[in-house]
Amino acid sequence: MTLKKRTPILLAVIILLPVLLLAWFGVRHQQNQQQLLEHQFSNLIEHRLQTVDQLLQDHFLALQRRLIPDARTLQQQRDGTYSPEPLRQYIKQSPWLSQLFVLTPQGERQFPPSNQQSNRLEQAFVERTKALFATPELFNSPELDPINQPIKRTGQRSQLQSSSAATDQYEDSVLSSTLYSGQLSQQAQPERLESPTQKTDILADNPHGWIAWYADTGLQHIFWWRDDLDNVIGFVLNGPRLVSDLLNRLPEGDSQSSSLGRAEIRLINDRDEVVYAWGEYRPQANSQPQRVLPLSHPIGSWRLAYYAPALQAGDSGWMSLVSWLILLTSGLSALAWLLYREHNREIRNAEQRVNFVNQVSHELKTPLTNVRLYAEMLEQHLPTEEEDPVPQRYLRVIASESQRLSRLIENVLSFSRIKRGGLKISPKQDQIDRCIEQIIENFTPALNDHNLQIRFDGNANEIRLFDCQALEQILNNLISNCEKYAADGRFIDISSWQEAQSSYIRIRDYGPGIAPGESEAIFTPFYRISNKLTDGVSGTGIGLGLARDLARAQDGDLMLETLTDTAADHPLSGASFLLQINTPEDAIPRGDLP
C-alpha cells in the first residue's frame, strides 16, 4: 500500500482514536454517575422506610413505658397477689387492652381464673391462647424483646435513641388519659422522661418483652412483665385500637407529598392487605415495589413497600458528552482535512519534480548515447597510444564519464519505475560469468585510474534464464561503490557459483567496511552513512536499495555479509555483498549460445 493510500487511513485513526477513547471514558463516567445516583436513591428509600419503622416502634416504646409502671402499681396494691376484680376493672378502663393475664412462677394461670370464676370473654380468650400458656419459656427470654435492643441496620438509631420529642408528644396526646379510676390512676402516671438516660433506667426493669401471637382471630400483640415475685403479667393489646394508633403516627394522605416526592409508601399487614398508603404517586396494578422493608418486632410480619417511577438516566450528562464528542470530532476532522490537503499538495509537487527528473533523464539518454557512439568511432581514427598518448587518454575519460552518467540515468529511471510499480524483468538465455566479464571490462579503465584491480573467480558458466541488463545494473552499483569508497583497498574480489536453480555472486572490497548496525539501513532509499568516508563523495543514496529491489524482482536477494577475518595483506576489513538470483536451467546447449 502506497503512502498516498495509507495517509487517509492514518488520519482516520488519528481522528477516531481520541474520539473513541473520550467516548469510552465518557460512557464509563456516565455509568458510574448512574450507579452512584441509583445507590443514593436506594439509600434514600431505605432511610425513609426505616424512619417510618422507627415511628411505629416509638408507639410500642411509649406503650411499654406506660404499662410497666401500671404493672408495678398493680403488684404493690395487691402485695404480690392479683384479685380478678381489680384486674377486670383495669381492663375495662384501658382503651388499649383487650385482655390481661397473670402467670405464677410455676407457669400456672392465675388470671383469668378457672372456668367457674371467669366470664365468657375470659373463657374465649383462654381457649384462643391456651397454647401460649403451655409455652412458659416465651416469658423467660428477654432477648425476644428487640424493641429494647439496638437495631442492627446501617444508619438507623437504636430504639432507646429514638426521638424523645415524638415519643413525649404521643404520650401527651394519646396515653395521658386515666388508666382507671382510684388510687391506681394517680400512681400509674409516670413523670415525663426528659432524657434517653432516664428512659433507659425505666426500661431496664424486671424482665419484660413483646410477643406476636397468632390466634383464630388473627395476630395478637402481647406485652409481658415479670414482677418481683417472678409472676408474669401479660397485657394483650386491642388489635383495632393498635392499628388506629399506629396509623395516627403516619403522615396524613398527601401531607408529605412535597418531601416524599413522586412516590408512595404502603403499610401491608400479615394478610397482604394494604392497611395504609400515602404519597402522590399512584402505581399501576401490577407494579412491583422498588424496596420492601419488613418491620421490626413485634410487628415483624408487617412490611413497608416503596413505589416510585423507575429512575431515569439524566439526559443532560449524555447530551453534554455527545456535544463534546461532536466538537472534538469536528475539530479533528477539520485539522485532518487541512493536513491531508497539504499532504496531497506536497505529493503532487514531489510527483511533478520526479516526473521532471524522469523526463530530463530520458532526454539525456539520447545525446549521451551519441556521445558514447562517437567516442568509440573517434577511437578508431585517432593515433594509437604509442604514437600519441594524450588523445587516447582524453578519449578514455570521455568514455568513462559517459558510462558513469549512463549508470546514473539508468538508476534514476529504474527507481522511478519501481515506485510506479512498472519495473519489468526480461529474462533471457545467457551465462552469468560472461555477463560479469563484460561488466568488469567496462569498469576496468575507471578502476585503473583509481589503482583498483578486480580479481574474478567465475564458476557460473551454465546457461540460465535471467535478465542480464538487471544483473548489470546491480553489479554496476556495487562496483561503483567500491570505486568511490574502497579505493585504498587495491583489490575487488568477485566470485560466482551456481546451486540448483539459483546463481550466487559475491563482491568484496577491502575498504573501511560498514558498521554492523548499518547493515539494513544502507538499503533504504536516499540513506547515506555519515562519516569521514562519505563526506565529500557525491552520490544519490539509491544505488544499494535499487540493487536489492532488482534482485528481489528476480526472486532473489542482496545482503551484506558479516566478515569474521581479514586478509593478511589487507588490514582493513572491507565489505562483502552476496547476491542471489533465481536462474532456472535452460535446455539449450552451451554451443548454441550466440
Side-chain angles (χ1 to χ4, degrees):
M1 185 181 294
T2 62
L3 180 61
K4 189 174 183 179
K5 294 181 179 179
R6 290 198 304 264
T7 301
I9 299 177
L10 294 176
L11 292 176
V13 172
I14 293 174
I15 295 173
L16 292 178
L17 186 60
V19 172
L20 292 177
L21 287 176
L22 180 61
W24 183 76
F25 282 113
V27 170
R28 287 292 302 275
H29 175 72
Q30 287 299 117
Q31 291 176 346
N32 292 338
Q33 289 294 108
Q34 182 69 15
Q35 293 176 358
L36 178 61
L37 182 62
E38 292 175 355
H39 180 70
Q40 293 175 344
F41 186 60
S42 177
N43 289 341
L44 176 61
I45 295 175
E46 184 76 14
H47 175 71
R48 286 177 173 175
L49 295 181
Q50 289 181 0
T51 300
V52 176
D53 184 29
Q54 185 69 48
L55 287 175
L56 300 180
Q57 289 302 302
D58 287 345
H59 174 75
F60 291 97
L61 191 62
L63 279 174
Q64 184 172 309
R65 293 197 186 100
R66 292 296 184 180
L67 293 176
I68 289 178
D70 287 349
R72 187 175 294 280
T73 302
L74 288 171
Q75 179 192 13
Q76 291 173 356
Q77 276 196 339
R78 301 305 175 188
D79 195 19
T81 61
Y82 298 89
S83 299
E85 287 305 321
L87 296 178
R88 288 174 180 144
Q89 184 65 20
Y90 176 78
I91 296 171
K92 184 178 179 180
Q93 295 295 328
S94 175
W96 301 280
L97 301 181
S98 64
Q99 194 52 261
L100 184 148
F101 63 88
V102 178
L103 300 179
T104 65
Q106 293 76 25
E108 299 177 356
R109 188 180 76 252
Q110 184 178 352
F111 183 84
S114 61
N115 293 338
Q116 293 78 8
Q117 300 176 2
S118 61
N119 55 36
R120 182 175 53 85
L121 294 178
E122 293 172 348
Q123 293 176 4
F125 169 73
V126 171
E127 183 66 22
R128 291 195 306 271
T129 56
K130 60 182 179 179
L132 175 66
F133 299 143
T135 316
E137 59 268 15
L138 292 176
F139 308 105
N140 295 323
S141 302
E143 63 272 10
L144 296 178
D145 179 20
I147 279 187
N148 299 319
Q149 300 182 19
I151 297 178
K152 295 181 172 132
R153 288 202 189 103
T154 303
Q156 186 172 353
R157 302 170 297 171
S158 69
Q159 298 288 354
L160 296 181
Q161 294 175 334
S162 59
S163 173
S164 61
T167 304
D168 294 342
Q169 182 180 4
Y170 179 80
E171 293 171 355
D172 291 341
S173 61
V174 181
L175 297 177
S176 60
S177 62
T178 302
L179 296 179
Y180 63 92
S181 59
Q183 184 180 1
L184 177 63
S185 172
Q186 297 175 0
Q187 296 179 359
Q189 283 291 99
E191 296 181 359
R192 179 181 295 274
L193 303 179
E194 298 295 344
S195 66
T197 303
Q198 293 175 333
K199 296 176 184 180
T200 304
D201 292 340
I202 291 179
L203 295 180
D205 205 309
N206 296 8
H208 58 276
W210 288 89
I211 298 175
W213 185 264
Y214 281 93
D216 295 338
T217 57
L219 186 64
Q220 291 184 348
H221 295 88
I222 301 172
F223 175 73
W224 61 270
W225 179 77
R226 191 176 293 275
D227 64 12
D228 298 335
L229 300 178
D230 214 18
N231 296 309
V232 174
I233 303 177
F235 300 91
V236 182
L237 300 186
N238 187 331
R241 178 58 186 264
L242 174 63
V243 173
S244 177
D245 290 343
L246 291 177
L247 298 184
N248 286 334
R249 281 186 169 265
L250 299 178
E252 298 180 2
D254 294 337
S255 63
Q256 295 294 322
S257 297
S258 59
S259 61
L260 190 58
R262 286 184 51 80
E264 182 186 63
I265 299 179
R266 294 179 180 179
L267 178 62
I268 303 174
N269 62 17
D270 56 302
R271 294 187 294 273
D272 288 334
E273 298 172 348
V274 178
V275 179
Y276 189 71
W278 70 98
E280 63 179 7
Y281 178 67
R282 296 297 176 264
Q284 298 180 359
N286 297 327
S287 298
Q288 296 295 324
Q290 291 192 356
R291 183 74 171 87
V292 176
L293 177 70
L295 295 177
S296 301
H297 185 76
I299 51 174
S301 60
W302 291 27
R303 63 187 184 275
L304 292 171
Y306 189 95
Y307 292 85
L311 186 63
Q312 301 294 331
D315 294 336
S316 59
W318 291 106
M319 290 298 296
S320 176
L321 175 62
V322 172
S323 300
W324 277 108
L325 290 177
I326 292 175
L327 289 175
L328 178 62
T329 304
S330 301
L332 291 177
S333 299
L335 179 60
W337 180 78
L338 292 175
L339 293 175
Y340 183 69
R341 188 181 67 175
E342 291 299 316
H343 175 72
N344 284 341
R345 188 170 63 84
E346 292 296 330
I347 288 180
R348 287 194 300 270
N349 293 337
E351 289 177 349
Q352 290 176 358
R353 290 192 292 268
V354 171
N355 291 334
F356 172 76
V357 172
N358 290 336
Q359 292 175 2
V360 171
S361 299
H362 276 289
E363 294 296 329
L364 289 176
K365 286 189 68 176
T366 301
L368 184 59
T369 302
N370 294 331
V371 170
R372 295 179 60 184
L373 177 62
Y374 281 96
E376 294 175 359
M377 295 173 60
L378 183 60
E379 185 180 6
Q380 299 176 0
H381 295 84
L382 288 177
T384 61
E385 190 170 359
E386 292 79 7
E387 297 175 355
D388 190 355
V390 175
Q392 290 292 338
R393 187 171 64 252
Y394 291 166
L395 188 60
R396 286 198 304 270
V397 172
I398 294 174
S400 175
E401 292 301 316
S402 62
Q403 289 178 0
R404 189 165 69 90
L405 184 57
S406 296
R407 292 193 296 270
L408 291 175
I409 293 175
E410 189 61 33
N411 280 345
V412 172
L413 295 177
S414 297
F415 181 78
S416 177
R417 286 193 293 267
I418 290 175
K419 294 305 177 182
R420 294 198 308 267
L423 180 63
K424 295 181 180 180
I425 299 298
S426 301
K428 295 181 181 179
Q429 301 164 353
D430 208 335
Q431 292 177 335
I432 294 290
D433 285 350
R434 192 171 72 169
C435 186
I436 296 175
E437 291 171 354
Q438 182 63 41
I439 297 170
I440 293 175
E441 182 180 352
N442 294 334
F443 266 96
T444 298
L447 295 178
N448 290 335
D449 293 339
H450 290 83
N451 295 321
L452 276 173
Q453 180 183 353
I454 294 180
R455 298 184 298 193
F456 176 52
D457 180 16
N459 294 286
N461 296 319
E462 297 181 9
I463 298 175
R464 297 295 178 92
L465 200 62
F466 66 97
D467 190 339
C468 185
Q469 291 184 353
L471 178 60
E472 179 182 359
Q473 192 168 0
I474 295 173
L475 297 180
N476 284 342
N477 287 319
L478 295 176
I479 298 175
S480 177
N481 285 341
C482 296
E483 178 187 355
K484 292 178 183 178
Y485 307 117
D488 295 338
R490 294 182 298 171
F491 296 102
I492 300 175
D493 291 338
I494 300 178
S495 59
S496 64
W497 69 94
Q498 292 172 324
E499 296 177 3
Q501 302 295 317
S502 298
S503 297
Y504 297 87
I505 301 173
R506 175 178 287 117
I507 300 178
R508 176 177 179 177
D509 63 58
Y510 295 90
I514 300 173
E518 306 283 350
S519 59
E520 288 297 324
I522 57 176
F523 295 102
T524 303
F526 307 110
Y527 178 84
R528 299 189 69 202
I529 301 175
S530 178
N531 53 31
K532 294 181 179 180
L533 178 65
T534 59
D535 292 344
V537 180
S538 62
T540 60
I542 64 174
L544 290 178
L546 178 60
R548 171 175 277 187
D549 290 337
L550 290 171
R552 291 177 176 178
Q554 301 181 77
D555 298 328
D557 202 358
L558 176 65
M559 63 195 74
L560 177 66
E561 292 185 308
T562 301
L563 297 178
T564 58
D565 57 351
T566 57
D569 55 344
H570 295 286
L572 297 177
S573 61
S576 177
F577 289 89
L578 178 61
L579 171 65
Q580 179 260 326
I581 58 176
N582 184 33
T583 55
E585 294 182 0
D586 193 85
I588 300 178
R590 180 182 301 179
D592 295 340
L593 187 66

